[in-house]
Each structure stands twice: as structure tokens, then as C-alpha cells.
Amino acid sequence: SSGINAEWPLRPGGYLAFRETPHIAQILKTVKTQFPGFYPDVLIVDGNGRLHKKEFGLACQTGVTCDIPCIGVAKNLYQMEGCLRDDDHKSSIDKLNSPGERFEIRNVKNVVIGCAVRTTAGSTKPVYVSEGHRVSLETACHVVMKCSRYRVPEPVRLADIMSRDVLRQLEVNG
């Protein structure tokens, strides 16, 4: 495990891709050259793709930069004009009864930019799936379902667990 120094500060407003993509690109380059058998066919990132105010979030930026099919999965709705966590949205979530059920998320122009997907029977809270690069929304939802033992798809869930472990170790070793 090696440390990563972010060049961009973490700030609200849709700039996660500028902070994260260079590091993801470096990791993918290392995997491709040193462990080519483990290079992914598709990448799932903890962030949005088209479900973004510029319709070009982390999954889009990373996919284009690294020329790899990429899917965005967010644990919470990225709120923006026309896309709010309001009573209508909450009502739509309540109607998701079974794993695999989903509803479309549309932007202010009424264009589909993602889906809220119920991934497991044990979770009533959906994840938000969106296209990143070279993957249709239908395929993105299918891949996310195939990777979900729990609410959050395994690649994202395991990355979260491992990163929290690293942060705890850094705090302990100060």
C-alpha cells in the first residue's frame, strides 16, 4: 500500500474527478504493466458518471482518460437542478420492492442520466448507477447487480473497507 497525495483539495461542486482520476490512472497503468492478468474489463468507481450536473462525473473522466469501460455508482443521490431528494424521489424509492428494481433519474431536460437501483433484499436504500464510458446504462445496472452481495457493489464496498483500514492505521501510527 502506498500513500497518495491529492493535488486538488476535496471541495463540493462536482470536482471529484480532477482529484481522483490521476491516481486511478496511475494504479491502472501499474496493474497493466506489472500484473496484466488482473487488468479489469470494466471499472466501477465510487462516484457518478452522467448523473452529474455537467453530465461528466468521475466515471466519465476516468473512463475517457484511461480508455476503459467505466460505471459510476454513488451511495447517495447527487442533487442538482431537476434532480432532488424530494418527496417524489422518496416515494419512488419506497416502490422498489425487490432486488434489481430501479427507476430512472432524469435531468432538468428530461434526459435519463442514471438509475436508482435496489441491489439486495436486505437493503431498502438504493445505489445510484450511471454510465461512465463505453457502457450503456442497461449494462451498467446489470453489472452492478451481478457484483452486489450487499447494498454497495463488492468492488466499491471492499475499496471503502480497505481505505478506512489504511486511514485507521495512519491515525494510530501518526
Side-chain angles (χ1 to χ4, degrees):
S1 168
S2 64
I4 293 176
N5 292 318
E7 300 293 320
W8 279 66
L10 187 56
R11 37 184 179 165
Y15 296 98
L16 180 66
F18 291 102
R19 179 183 168 95
E20 303 290 331
T21 297
H23 304 293
I24 296 169
Q26 185 58 51
I27 291 165
L28 286 173
K29 182 178 176 185
T30 300
V31 170
K32 192 175 219 173
T33 58
Q34 295 181 17
F35 310 100
F38 292 97
Y39 195 79
D41 293 322
V42 64
L43 195 63
I44 301 174
V45 299
D46 186 358
N48 291 298
R50 290 196 56 218
L51 204 166
H52 185 274
K53 68 181 176 183
K54 301 283 187 193
E55 291 187 35
F56 203 84
L58 176 63
C60 298
Q61 180 72 33
T62 300
V64 168
T65 300
C66 301
D67 192 27
I68 187 170
C70 196
I71 298 167
V73 176
K75 297 175 216 93
N76 296 296
L77 178 65
Y78 185 99
Q79 296 189 85
M80 60 191 139
E81 184 180 5
C83 185
L84 300 173
R85 198 172 25 237
D86 56 13
D87 289 339
D88 287 340
H89 184 79
K90 290 174 186 170
S91 174
S92 295
I93 290 172
D94 290 341
K95 293 175 188 170
L96 299 176
N97 295 315
S98 302
E101 290 187 359
R102 62 187 186 229
F103 62 89
E104 295 174 339
I105 307 290
R106 295 176 177 269
N107 65 12
V108 71
K109 297 175 188 168
N110 203 34
V111 174
V112 175
I113 56 173
C115 284
V117 180
R118 181 171 180 171
T119 52
T120 65
S123 177
T124 57
K125 190 174 179 187
V127 293
Y128 296 89
V129 178
S130 57
E131 303 161 74
H133 181 61
R134 291 179 24 209
V135 178
S136 69
L137 185 56
E138 184 67 30
T139 298
C141 290
H142 179 77
V143 169
V144 166
M145 286 302 300
K146 290 291 186 185
C147 293
S148 296
R149 292 176 49 201
Y150 302 98
R151 175 179 166 250
V152 176
E154 284 299 282
V156 173
R157 190 180 81 81
L158 293 172
D160 281 346
I161 290 168
M162 287 183 231
S163 65
R164 281 193 293 274
D165 287 346
V166 168
L167 288 173
R168 273 193 288 279
Q169 286 301 316
L170 290 172
E171 289 173 1
V172 168
N173 296 330

